[in-house]
Amino acid sequence: MENFSEYLLSFIQKNDTITKNSKYSMIQSKKEYLEYLTEDQNSLGIKTNWKTPIKELIAPNYIWKFQKKLRHLEYYKNCRTDFWGKLYGIFLKIRFRKYSLRMGFSIPINVFGPGLAIVHYGTIVINAKAKIGKNCRIHADTNIGASGGSKKAPQIGNNVYIGPGAKVFGDITIGNNIAIAANSSVNKSFNADGIMLAGSPAKRIKEIDIKKIIRTSNI
């Protein structure tokens, strides 16, 4: 039994692909885990009161359930380095993968900062190398990934709106307070803040006030 435990722990460690030195934030403690949940809930506009358990029983919010599972897995993957924590993390990963398939989401852990708001059901595909900052509002039929044989994926800043059908790909960076219009294809870097991108290929259209597009108190 002891040899099996040592083997299993070794297997888990070899498959741990977390990048601890990322410049983008990710959950590093129980306190941060709870903060991420709170900010996600606020960005989704979910209010809790005594009626909440009844509402969840009658009409569950499946997107919120998905995001809670995402954050729970991130917490265990990043913070629970003990043997049993890693073992339970494997169980959470299996459960999360099944739930992701049901929802049509291909969203890896440790990609989104706090304040994530997935707006609708539908296909969302995110490359594991991508990084998106806090307060991202993302719609269905979006794809953020690598391109041209490179393994590098977009690095996107804080307070970004990603419209339905948008495609963001390649070794590029996107600034803060950006709105990417529906069905746009972004394949080059835009490092200016507070602008709207639209078109295929995307171009800078105008300056914007992101607070009018993303409804959150954290901007």
Side-chain angles (χ1 to χ4, degrees):
M1 184 65 181
E2 184 177 346
N3 290 337
F4 173 76
S5 297
E6 291 176 355
Y7 166 78
L8 187 56
L9 181 57
S10 175
F11 172 81
I12 294 170
Q13 290 171 339
K14 287 179 181 179
N15 286 275
D16 188 352
T17 58
I18 296 300
T19 305
K20 295 290 187 180
N21 296 323
S22 171
K23 68 177 181 178
Y24 290 85
S25 64
M26 57 185 187
I27 296 170
Q28 298 286 0
S29 67
K30 183 67 173 289
K31 180 175 180 290
E32 289 184 2
Y33 164 59
L34 297 175
E35 289 172 350
Y36 269 59
L37 286 177
T38 298
E39 294 192 32
D40 284 3
Q41 185 176 0
N42 290 339
S43 292
L44 288 167
I46 297 174
K47 308 294 184 182
T48 55
N49 53 43
W50 65 271
K51 297 179 182 179
T52 301
I54 300 174
K55 290 180 180 178
E56 282 297 307
L57 185 63
I58 297 173
N61 186 328
Y62 292 108
I63 289 178
W64 176 222
K65 290 180 69 174
F66 171 85
Q67 290 194 202
K68 287 191 289 185
K69 291 179 186 297
L70 173 68
R71 300 311 191 186
H72 195 198
L73 178 57
E74 288 176 341
Y75 166 67
Y76 265 85
K77 189 71 170 177
N78 299 347
C79 305
R80 290 295 305 273
T81 58
D82 59 287
F83 172 77
W84 295 112
K86 285 180 175 287
L87 188 60
Y88 185 59
I90 292 176
F91 166 75
L92 292 177
K93 184 176 182 179
I94 294 171
R95 190 174 67 170
F96 176 72
R97 184 175 296 170
K98 290 181 178 179
Y99 203 79
S100 297
L101 290 172
R102 288 174 56 192
M103 299 291 291
F105 299 151
S106 180
I107 299 178
I109 63 171
N110 294 319
V111 168
F112 288 96
L116 170 64
I118 300 173
V119 182
H120 297 294
Y121 307 128
T123 303
I124 297 176
V125 179
I126 311 291
N127 187 288
K129 299 292 185 181
K131 295 295 178 185
I132 299 101
K134 66 179 182 179
N135 301 325
C136 177
R137 187 171 180 85
I138 186 168
H139 285 258
D141 298 324
T142 57
N143 190 313
I144 301 174
S147 178
S150 172
K151 294 183 179 180
K152 295 182 178 180
Q155 309 293 294
I156 301 174
N158 299 323
N159 314 320
V160 173
Y161 170 91
I162 303 174
K167 308 296 184 287
V168 186
F169 54 93
D171 180 15
I172 63 174
T173 57
I174 304 295
N176 302 311
N177 308 325
I178 302 292
I180 301 174
N183 298 316
S184 298
S185 296
V186 185
N187 63 352
K188 67 177 183 179
S189 296
F190 291 89
N191 294 315
D193 294 341
I195 60 174
M196 174 177 284
L197 308 177
S200 183
K203 298 179 181 179
R204 173 175 174 163
I205 302 301
K206 61 180 181 180
E207 295 184 354
I208 58 165
D209 181 0
I210 199 66
K211 293 180 181 179
K212 295 181 178 179
I213 301 174
I214 298 177
R215 303 294 184 180
T216 177
S217 60
N218 296 324
I219 297 177

